[in-house]
């Protein structure tokens, strides 16, 4: 969601459409070994009432071609989606790497002490960007912003005579049961500042690729943990409803 805030959107350019998420180019983008990359990080908003959020740093997705500058017109140079890289090489280790490998790159560029410090700052910047996205989308999954007639989607709902959430979602779906699983694509400038390029609510897990063992293990762990979290939150909410209490004591 482009709000002009200092975490995600560091320019004075206003979004042409409010209350939406916007991709943008990153000035002085960091390209280790002359390859563009992004950080595919994960967010689970398990509940909005109360707000319960879990996150994972995820992994890195690299282009397999050298980056020569923003004026380069070769599409494959700029795209970090593994589906495109897989068309150029079957060696997935060349374009999918662990998040912690960024620490090695920073130590290579800045030395052990400064590189480790920069890696800690970079991780904090990622977490700040995640938090910004959480609050950007919270109003949407709370079903509040949708009904503002001043917003484009609110105008469309008015045209369709949609006046309640139950008309666009299955019966009985309420705020207390809202959740959202998201994958964020994050790029970095040379100072280690994180910029959210894209937010995916239906991310791919590349099941048809011959992926590294560490990736398959991390993917499996993440999905099991997400299922466990949602089950635990659901049980707490059922208990809260049946006992007319918060359920979070």
């Amino acid at each position: 969601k482009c709000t002009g805030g200092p975490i995600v959107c560091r320019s004075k350019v206003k979004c042409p459409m409010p209350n939406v998420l916007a991709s943008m180019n990153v000035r002085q983008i960091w390209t280790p070994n002359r390859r563009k990359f992004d950080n595919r990080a994960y967010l689970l908003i398990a509940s909005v009432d109360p707000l319960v959020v879990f996150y994972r740093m995820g992994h890195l997705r690299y282009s397999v071609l050298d980056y020569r500058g923003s004026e380069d017109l070769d599409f494959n140079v700029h795209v970090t989606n593994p589906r495109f890289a897989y068309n150029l090489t079957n060696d997935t280790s060349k374009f999918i790497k662990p998040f912690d490998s960024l620490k090695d790159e920073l130590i290579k560029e800045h030395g052990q002490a400064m590189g480790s410090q920069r890696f800690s700052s970079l991780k904090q910047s990622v977490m700040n960007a995640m938090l910004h996205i959480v609050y950007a989308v919270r109003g949407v999954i709370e079903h509040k912003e949708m009904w503002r007639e001043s917003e484009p989607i609110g105008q469309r709902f008015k045209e369709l005579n949609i006046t309640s959430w139950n008309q666009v979602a299955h019966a009985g779906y309420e705020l207390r049961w809202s959740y959202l699983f998201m994958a964020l694509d994050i790029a970095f400038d040379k100072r280690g500042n994180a910029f959210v390029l894209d937010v995916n609510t239906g991310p791919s897990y590349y099941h048809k690729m011959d992926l590294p063992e560490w990736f398959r293990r991390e993917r499996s762990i993440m999905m099991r943990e997400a299922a466990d979290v949602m089950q635990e939150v659901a049980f707490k909410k059922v208990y809260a409803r049946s006992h007319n209490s918060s359920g979070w004591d």
Side-chain angles (χ1 to χ4, degrees), residues 106-174:
L106 289 167
I107 290 175
K108 186 191 305 182
E109 291 185 19
H110 304 284
Q112 181 69 40
M114 181 58 69
S116 298
Q117 182 179 340
R118 281 179 172 259
F119 182 63
S120 296
S121 298
L122 181 144
K123 288 196 297 182
Q124 185 60 57
S125 185
V126 171
M127 288 188 284
N128 289 343
M130 288 182 178
L131 188 61
H132 191 89
I133 293 298
V134 167
Y135 282 98
V137 302
R138 184 183 183 185
V140 175
I141 57 179
E142 283 181 336
H143 318 147
K144 292 179 179 178
E145 295 183 358
M146 291 186 175
W147 312 117
R148 295 178 184 172
E149 293 186 8
S150 60
E151 306 296 351
I153 193 170
Q155 295 174 6
R156 182 57 178 160
F157 282 166
K158 184 179 180 181
E159 293 172 2
L160 297 174
N161 197 31
I162 295 176
T163 57
S164 70
W165 183 252
N166 284 337
Q167 292 177 261
V168 290
H170 59 79
Y173 190 90
E174 299 178 9

Side-chain angles (χ1 to χ4, degrees), residues 6-59:
I7 303 300
V8 178
C9 188
R10 293 180 180 270
S11 71
K12 296 181 180 180
V13 178
K14 294 183 178 179
C15 285
M17 183 176 179
N19 296 321
V20 297
L21 292 153
S23 298
M24 63 186 72
N25 290 324
V26 177
R27 294 182 179 180
Q28 296 187 327
I29 191 170
W30 183 32
T31 55
N33 300 313
R34 297 175 60 190
R35 299 287 172 87
K36 291 189 75 173
F37 79 98
D38 64 33
N39 170 205
R40 170 58 67 92
Y42 296 94
L43 267 177
L44 171 61
I45 303 180
S47 169
V48 293
D49 180 22
L51 183 61
V52 180
V53 180
F54 297 85
Y55 72 91
R56 272 186 174 271
M57 288 298 188
H59 57 276

